[in-house]
């Protein structure tokens, strides 16, 4: 193994095993842009990270993958019995604009452009422009609702939580809040004592 390969392996090991600002500092060395206050809980940044642009206060949940290109062109060239040419075919940038959220295990394909304040549901596959202030999800990702509608649903659901309703959560220790959440969210689980 040559020194460059070893250096690359160490770099990507560090990216995968650091968090928040330390990770952002590393990614700024290879990505087009990484904004302030961003939390990229991702470990997969593809092999063309220079095509990734991330705005301020963006959050990607665990397992989000960046795939700036696909290499199906190798298959096409073999099918056509042509010599493969690395010409940048089937590539595209990935843009995550300010204050957007990408749910767990989402795949972001080349050509993705997620608008400001937009939310992508977990497990989605995105490969297109998503307008600002919208919630999208699915395979492929489709419009679900506006962020305004989603915010109203979240607030209404939050107000129904027993520890919010009572106002007691402000007095709870971390341990008590964890127990209250367990009792609520796992109430159907057998033998939760």
């Amino acid at each position: 193994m040559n020194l460059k390969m070893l250096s690359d392996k160490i770099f990507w090991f560090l990216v995968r095993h650091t968090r928040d600002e330390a990770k952002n500092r590393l990614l700024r060395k290879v990505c087009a842009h990484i904004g302030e206050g961003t939390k990229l809980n991702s470990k997969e940044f593809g092999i063309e990270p220079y095509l990734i642009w991330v705005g301020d206060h963006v959050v990607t949940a665990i397992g989000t993958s960046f795939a700036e290109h696909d290499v199906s062109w190798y298959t096409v060239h073999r099918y056509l019995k042509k010599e493969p040419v690395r010409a940048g075919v089937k590539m595209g940038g990935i843009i995550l604009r300010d204050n957007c959220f990408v749910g767990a295990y989402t795949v972001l394909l080349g050509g993705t452009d997620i608008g400001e304040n937009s939310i992508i549901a977990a497990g989605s596959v995105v490969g297109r422009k998503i307008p600002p202030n919208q919630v999208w999800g699915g395979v492929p990702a489709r419009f679900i609702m506006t962020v305004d509608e989603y915010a109203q649903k979240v607030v209404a659901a939050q107000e129904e939580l027993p520890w919010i309703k009572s106002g007691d959560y402000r007095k709870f220790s971390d341990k008590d809040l964890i127990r209250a959440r367990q009792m609520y969210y796992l109430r159907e689980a057998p033998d939760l004592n």
Side-chain angles (χ1 to χ4, degrees), residues 104-170:
Y105 301 101
T106 292
V107 178
L108 303 172
L109 303 172
T112 294
D113 184 345
I114 300 175
E116 287 184 7
N117 306 311
S118 286
I119 297 170
I120 306 300
S124 299
V125 175
V126 184
R128 60 176 301 188
K129 186 173 182 73
I130 306 296
N133 306 308
Q134 294 188 358
V135 178
W136 284 57
V139 179
R142 292 180 171 82
F143 175 76
I144 297 173
M145 66 182 73
T146 68
V147 170
D148 235 14
E149 293 166 324
Y150 181 71
Q152 290 173 21
K153 284 180 134 181
V154 168
V155 168
Q158 177 180 308
E159 289 171 355
E160 291 303 312
L161 297 171
W163 55 91
I164 300 290
K165 240 184 201 179
S166 69
D168 289 342
Y169 75 95
R170 289 188 180 98

Side-chain angles (χ1 to χ4, degrees), residues 25-180:
R25 279 193 301 275
L26 290 168
L27 287 171
R28 285 183 185 113
K29 296 175 188 288
V30 294
C31 294
H33 177 79
I34 302 293
E36 297 301 318
T38 288
K39 293 180 187 273
L40 301 173
N41 298 303
S42 308
K43 293 185 177 183
E44 299 302 324
F45 294 91
I47 59 173
E48 314 284 351
Y50 59 87
L51 293 175
I52 297 172
W53 190 98
V54 180
D56 296 338
H57 308 290
V58 170
V59 176
T60 63
I62 188 170
T64 300
S65 295
F66 292 78
E68 305 85 22
H69 76 289
D70 82 40
V71 291
S72 64
W73 57 273
Y74 273 121
T75 301
V76 169
H77 281 87
R78 281 193 305 273
Y79 173 78
L80 296 173
K81 297 178 177 44
K82 291 186 170 206
E83 183 69 30
V85 178
R86 293 188 62 198
V89 173
K90 305 281 288 175
M91 296 175 83
I94 298 173
I95 301 169
L96 306 181
R97 297 182 188 272
D98 293 350
N99 201 43
C100 70
F101 172 80
V102 179
Y105 301 101
T106 292
V107 178
L108 303 172
L109 303 172
T112 294
D113 184 345
I114 300 175
E116 287 184 7
N117 306 311
S118 286
I119 297 170
I120 306 300
S124 299
V125 175
V126 184
R128 60 176 301 188
K129 186 173 182 73
I130 306 296
N133 306 308
Q134 294 188 358
V135 178
W136 284 57
V139 179
R142 292 180 171 82
F143 175 76
I144 297 173
M145 66 182 73
T146 68
V147 170
D148 235 14
E149 293 166 324
Y150 181 71
Q152 290 173 21
K153 284 180 134 181
V154 168
V155 168
Q158 177 180 308
E159 289 171 355
E160 291 303 312
L161 297 171
W163 55 91
I164 300 290
K165 240 184 201 179
S166 69
D168 289 342
Y169 75 95
R170 289 188 180 98
K171 301 175 202 161
F172 281 12
S173 67
D174 287 347
K175 184 177 179 181
D176 290 339
L177 187 55
I178 287 169
R179 186 65 181 155

Side-chain angles (χ1 to χ4, degrees), residues 163 178-193:
W163 55 91
I178 287 169
R179 186 65 181 155
R181 288 174 177 168
Q182 285 176 323
M183 297 305 291
Y184 180 77
Y185 291 117
L186 299 174
R187 63 187 173 271
E188 302 290 327
D191 198 22
L192 181 68
N193 291 322

